[in-house]
Amino acid sequence: MPDELENEPAVGLNADEAALLTEMPELSGIGQSRRAFMVQSAVGGVGLFAASLLAEESALAQMPLAPDAAATMTATPNSVSVAFQVNGAPRTLQVDSRMVLLDALRERMALTGSKKGCDQGQCGACTVLVDGQRVLSCLTLAATLEGREVTTVEGLATGEQLHPVQAAFIKHDAFQCGYCTPGQICSAVGLIAEARRGHVSHVTNDVAQQRPRLTEAEIRERMSGNICRCGAYPGIVAAIQEIHSGRQAAQTWSFADEAQLARATKEGGHETV
Ligand code: FES
Ligand code: FES
């Protein structure tokens, strides 16, 4: 215990605390300062389940371990084996049962396309597909994926051939810094498949239609879990609409040719191309 707590003077109990001690005599033997009483109360506030877990953990901590078991636990705590497909290839990993898919992808398989934005399910940067459905990999335990098929942004292209959604994102200039883009693209692929399967959304007017049309409002609603701090939303919506509708829109930008680049360099690099 830190010195400042050790040295803190004991303070008497208030009426509520004294009443609680009367109801729970098991606490009364602890004989405590107000600080100690409050710590007890806080643990109690977590609930019986947490208290029993704490008791169990404490009991386990006191049990002697066989030397080889102790070594294994130190090497991979809470280790479980999980076999699944990642981008079409079979993978078997020994993971901590608490490891999330995002960390398994990035740290164990070097698949760093999926990004860690918030790590708490708020931004969508970590979106991947599991059995074709979009999921937040930062909230998905790797140990739950036994036998499942995971597709990340690295697995969408076929050789040098980009996935149509990837190509549409480039065509519609649907990104700036690109940090959110892998999650946006995986989410868009999942979204288009959902619409084809007839899934409706919060803004679908006619829920009886077989295949809801992806209007701008539909796309914005369905992509609302994917945040883009660069504000590339108009391009993202246009890219998804093009793939969903099959109607080709004109590309509104092009790479500069050499003459334009030379002219821009001569004029101070400010020419817009
Ligand atoms: S990193 Fe998963 S939602 Fe933000
Ligand atoms: S392109 Fe920068 S965050 Fe989306």
Side-chain angles (χ1 to χ4, degrees):
M1 185 182 285
D3 288 347
E4 63 273 19
L5 295 186
E6 290 273 18
N7 300 332
E8 183 177 289
V11 181
L13 304 180
N14 64 27
D16 287 344
E17 292 163 356
L20 184 54
L21 269 186
T22 310
E23 280 174 28
M24 301 177 69
E26 65 270 24
L27 292 181
S28 63
I30 301 165
Q32 54 265 133
S33 68
R34 178 186 174 86
R35 170 64 56 100
F37 176 86
M38 294 312 287
V39 169
Q40 294 281 336
S41 303
V43 171
V46 173
L48 287 176
F49 177 66
S52 74
L53 275 184
L54 286 173
E56 204 172 295
E57 236 178 52
S58 148
L60 280 174
Q62 289 172 33
M63 282 173 58
L65 285 173
D68 54 340
T72 308
M73 283 184 69
T74 308
T76 320
N78 307 302
S79 171
V80 291
S81 177
V82 57
F84 55 149
Q85 299 266 326
V86 180
N87 296 333
R91 303 294 299 255
T92 301
L93 291 183
Q94 204 69 26
V95 294
D96 184 315
S97 60
R98 299 159 295 185
M99 179 176 254
V100 292
L101 174 60
L102 178 61
D103 290 338
L105 291 170
R106 293 181 57 85
E107 293 168 18
R108 301 291 301 281
M109 291 179 263
L111 292 170
T112 53
S114 309
K115 298 292 183 277
K116 185 178 281 192
C118 63
D119 206 19
Q120 54 183 347
Q122 300 290 318
C123 72
C126 64
T127 308
V128 300
L129 302 165
V130 173
D131 294 340
Q133 310 225 25
R134 48 190 175 153
V135 302
L136 297 172
S137 61
C138 73
L139 295 185
T140 304
L141 291 172
T144 63
L145 297 172
E146 180 71 27
R148 314 287 291 275
E149 166 78 45
V150 176
T151 306
T152 69
V153 72
E154 291 95 338
L156 291 177
T158 308
E160 295 295 304
Q161 183 77 35
L162 291 178
H163 187 283
V165 174
Q166 291 175 307
F169 265 59
I170 294 173
K171 178 178 174 183
H172 290 277
D173 206 12
F175 52 89
Q176 288 182 39
C177 77
Y179 193 82
C180 72
T181 310
Q184 300 276 6
I185 289 175
C186 286
S187 196
V189 171
L191 178 166
I192 291 165
E194 284 160 21
R196 286 188 182 137
R197 288 197 296 271
H199 291 196
V200 296
S201 82
H202 185 61
V203 298
T204 306
N205 285 328
D206 178 6
V207 295
Q209 55 189 315
Q210 296 283 312
R211 280 181 56 174
R213 195 168 68 82
L214 292 182
T215 60
E216 178 173 343
E218 282 277 4
I219 294 170
R220 286 184 179 273
E221 164 62 19
R222 292 169 189 250
M223 291 293 287
S224 60
N226 290 82
I227 310 298
C228 174
R229 66 183 174 180
C230 298
Y233 300 114
I236 294 170
V237 171
I240 296 172
Q241 262 177 335
E242 178 172 306
I243 299 300
H244 175 69
S245 67
R247 280 192 303 277
Q248 295 289 317
Q251 182 164 313
T252 55
W253 64 274
S254 62
F255 288 112
D257 61 27
E258 287 197 6
Q260 286 172 312
L261 280 176
R263 204 164 50 245
T265 306
K266 196 169 154 196
E267 292 170 3
H270 296 304
E271 180 168 332
T272 303
V273 291

